[in-house]
Amino acid sequence: MLMRIYGQRNILFSKVVLGCYTYTKGVSHLISGSASLRFSRGFDESAMLGFSSTPGDNLRSLPKSDSLRSYQVVVAATREMGIGKDGKLPWRLPSDLKFFKELTMTTSDPEKKNAVVMGRKTWESIPLEYRPLPGRLNVVLTRSESSKITTGENVVICGSISSALQLLAEVPYCFSIEKVFVIGGGQIFRETLNAPGSEAIHITEIDTSIECDTFIPAIDLSCFRLWYSSKPLVENGIRFSFATYVRVGTAATLSPLTSEVKSNGDSNSNDFDVKNLTFLPMMILERHDD
Ligand SMILES: NC(=O)c1ccc[n+]([C@@H]2O[C@H](COP(=O)([O-])OP(=O)(O)OC[C@H]3O[C@@H](n4cnc5c(N)ncnc54)[C@H](OP(=O)(O)O)[C@@H]3O)[C@@H](O)[C@H]2O)c1
């Protein structure tokens, strides 16, 4: 039996079946073969992690930890950094949905999957028939212990961003999950976009003015540099392009899984040391070469 003690705190109600493991808050058990999954975690862990999950907390304030998984952000935003309206996407861009699916689903190792981390409202904005997003581990964040999120295979619920990133850094996910993508929405992006664990930002830059009610901060260009930008496309009268920014210069060493990217120090330069960019998805590396 694999047993791991997280602390002496009260066990609330967490349980997961991971194909081969169940985790109970505080203790994890190796089990054999079970089908459906429910995992809830992190509701009473924030103190242990030195981090409160109240609104406004930011991963910037987290102490560096070897046990948090790094991640890449995927977002579509207007020039004003608008990302949503009335709980939905305020545009219809089939090419962007295709890009999102390909980016978040593709793995270089066919034995592995990627994880997508999202807030509860973004989860609820996905039509029932399309969730969980197939072929990916769906990690849903909520602070509510009595959340009505319907769980099942490939759905994990976490009570804080740090507990999600910690979970993904642990067995079995450190082996079974190839990449972690944070996919929204506003509250989650505000805490993760420029935080130290964010190693790349894949942004669909929407160049047409569209009314939004959910906004995110600008990309911090003292930490990130443009690696790739596509030619502009137009769909449904909306002009947009795909861009990828990668973390440069400042410490991106939140975890051993985070790669630090070095540039030649010229802030306008696109002269990256490509061998340090192996964490980028192959489709992004290939796009850059096009
Ligand atoms: N353009 C894009 O790329 C994109 C991508 C995704 C979503 N969106 C849009 O963004 C909008 C939704 O964004 P939103 O800001 O309203 O909601 P959201 O970030 O998707 O979800 C917010 C919820 O997540 C939970 N949460 C937030 N921070 C947490 C933390 N630190 N720890 C644990 N749980 C946490 C809370 O759930 P509880 O209330 O259950 O505690 C909170 O109410 C929609 O319009 C959607 O279409 C746009």
Side-chain angles (χ1 to χ4, degrees):
M1 177 188 286
L2 175 70
M3 182 169 279
R4 183 168 202 162
I5 308 295
Y6 285 104
Q8 300 304 315
R9 304 175 68 84
N10 287 339
I11 292 170
L12 292 179
F13 65 96
S14 38
K15 183 178 176 189
V16 66
V17 184
L18 303 167
C20 60
Y21 293 96
T22 54
Y23 278 69
T24 304
K25 178 60 69 56
V27 183
S28 54
H29 306 279
L30 181 64
I31 61 141
S32 58
S34 180
S36 74
L37 319 186
R38 160 121 199 172
F39 183 23
S40 307
R41 169 167 179 163
F43 298 109
D44 62 350
E45 285 178 44
S46 46
M48 184 186 77
L49 294 166
F51 161 71
S52 155
S53 60
T54 50
D57 274 336
N58 190 299
L59 288 181
R60 281 176 202 281
S61 60
L62 268 182
K64 273 193 192 151
S65 162
D66 285 345
S67 60
L68 297 187
R69 185 83 183 245
S70 57
Y71 55 87
Q72 303 182 27
V73 170
V74 192
V75 62
T78 63
R79 264 177 285 178
E80 296 76 33
M81 300 306 272
I83 64 156
K85 174 104 169 55
D86 300 328
K88 294 184 285 223
L89 293 177
W91 46 73
R92 210 186 132 266
L93 295 175
S95 302
D96 185 48
L97 295 178
K98 186 169 171 282
F99 170 78
F100 173 85
K101 185 174 176 188
E102 195 179 340
L103 181 71
T104 57
M105 268 189 89
T106 308
T107 55
S108 52
D109 180 343
E111 302 288 308
K112 294 187 179 183
K113 279 182 194 165
N114 296 323
V116 285
V117 179
M118 72 194 93
R120 191 258 307 162
K121 291 185 183 172
T122 293
W123 166 260
E124 287 176 353
S125 77
I126 303 170
L128 269 176
E129 63 270 32
Y130 296 118
R131 72 186 197 217
L133 295 176
R136 290 147 283 187
L137 178 70
N138 288 231
V139 181
V140 186
L141 298 169
T142 175
R143 296 189 183 94
S144 167
E145 290 163 27
S146 56
S147 156
K148 295 201 171 50
I149 295 166
T150 312
T151 53
E153 195 168 354
N154 281 331
V155 182
V156 166
I157 302 172
C158 288
S160 69
I161 295 168
S162 57
S163 67
L165 297 177
Q166 184 183 21
L167 175 74
L168 292 165
E170 292 171 353
V171 173
Y173 294 123
C174 58
F175 298 120
S176 63
I177 297 299
E178 189 169 288
K179 292 190 191 331
V180 176
F181 294 100
V182 172
I183 63 163
Q187 292 186 29
I188 305 305
F189 285 143
R190 285 194 280 280
E191 292 195 48
T192 54
L193 187 80
N194 291 310
S198 172
E199 56 189 10
I201 300 168
H202 308 284
I203 181 166
T204 304
E205 297 180 321
I206 294 174
D207 207 20
T208 302
S209 199
I210 297 176
E211 193 188 339
C212 293
D213 61 14
T214 308
F215 295 85
I216 60 169
I219 296 173
D220 181 350
L221 294 176
S222 68
C223 297
F224 289 92
R225 189 155 303 151
L226 183 65
W227 154 258
Y228 164 81
S229 184
S230 76
K231 292 195 182 89
L233 305 164
V234 179
E235 245 174 45
N236 293 327
I238 299 170
R239 190 179 150 97
F240 63 101
S241 55
F242 298 106
T244 292
Y245 291 80
V246 293
R247 180 173 284 281
V248 291
T250 53
T253 50
L254 188 66
S255 89
L257 297 162
T258 308
S259 313
E260 188 171 357
V261 181
K262 303 227 183 302
S263 78
N264 65 3
D266 172 355
S267 62
N268 295 316
S269 169
N270 217 8
D271 183 16
F272 290 96
D273 190 348
V274 178
K275 71 178 185 306
N276 289 320
L277 290 171
T278 50
F279 62 88
L280 283 177
M282 189 54 75
M283 65 180 277
I284 299 295
L285 292 168
E286 285 171 357
R287 280 182 173 218
H288 185 268
D289 294 340
D290 286 346

